[in-house]
Amino acid sequence: MADFKNTVLIINKAKAGIKIDRDSNFDDMKLIFDGKTTMDPYMLEPGKQVHVGSTYGNDMGVCLTYSGNDRYMELGIDPEPSTNPTVFSVISDSGDDGSGPLAYALQDQTPDSMTMTLRDKD
């Protein structure tokens, strides 16, 4: 577990590196990669993992770039009352129409953490 409140453990099981960057809509947010706060993107190599947090508390906007394909995602506490108890989750995902080369699975969801495993779709 990382040493900040919100954390998503992102695991890359895809064939190539995945660039993790801030969503440009979160203009003053900084991401935290394995405890290091930065405005710069992080390259997650195949077979590796990184704890990702943000300076926005329990919310973060990230852009995953893989094979030249950008996927914008908002991760955080699910605001829907149907989720009881509320858990850290994917709040919005621009790739939810099935486009893009990456698929993801969520595990170990708690109110302030989860594991996200990314894989190639094919």
Side-chain angles (χ1 to χ4, degrees), residues 6-10 18-27 29-33 38 40-42 50-56 59-65 69-76 88-95 102 104 106 114 116 118:
N6 59 319
T7 181
V8 177
L9 175 61
I10 299 181
I18 299 168
K19 183 174 83 171
I20 305 169
D21 202 356
R22 300 176 311 110
D23 182 332
S24 58
N25 292 321
F26 289 64
D27 57 351
M29 178 191 72
K30 294 178 183 175
L31 291 178
I32 304 165
F33 299 107
T38 183
D40 297 326
Y42 182 91
V50 64
H51 284 96
V52 183
S54 83
T55 57
Y56 264 35
D59 196 11
M60 67 180 84
V62 295
C63 176
L64 305 176
T65 305
N69 188 307
D70 288 338
R71 183 175 189 154
Y72 289 89
M73 305 178 85
E74 185 176 350
L75 311 174
F88 214 75
S89 186
V90 175
I91 297 172
S92 62
D93 177 3
S94 66
L102 287 173
Y104 64 87
L106 306 179
M114 70 177 176
M116 173 181 262
L118 300 163

Side-chain angles (χ1 to χ4, degrees), residues 10-17 44-49 118:
I10 299 181
I11 302 170
N12 182 0
K13 291 199 174 177
K15 294 179 226 157
L44 183 58
E45 297 300 331
K48 302 291 183 181
Q49 63 185 36
L118 300 163

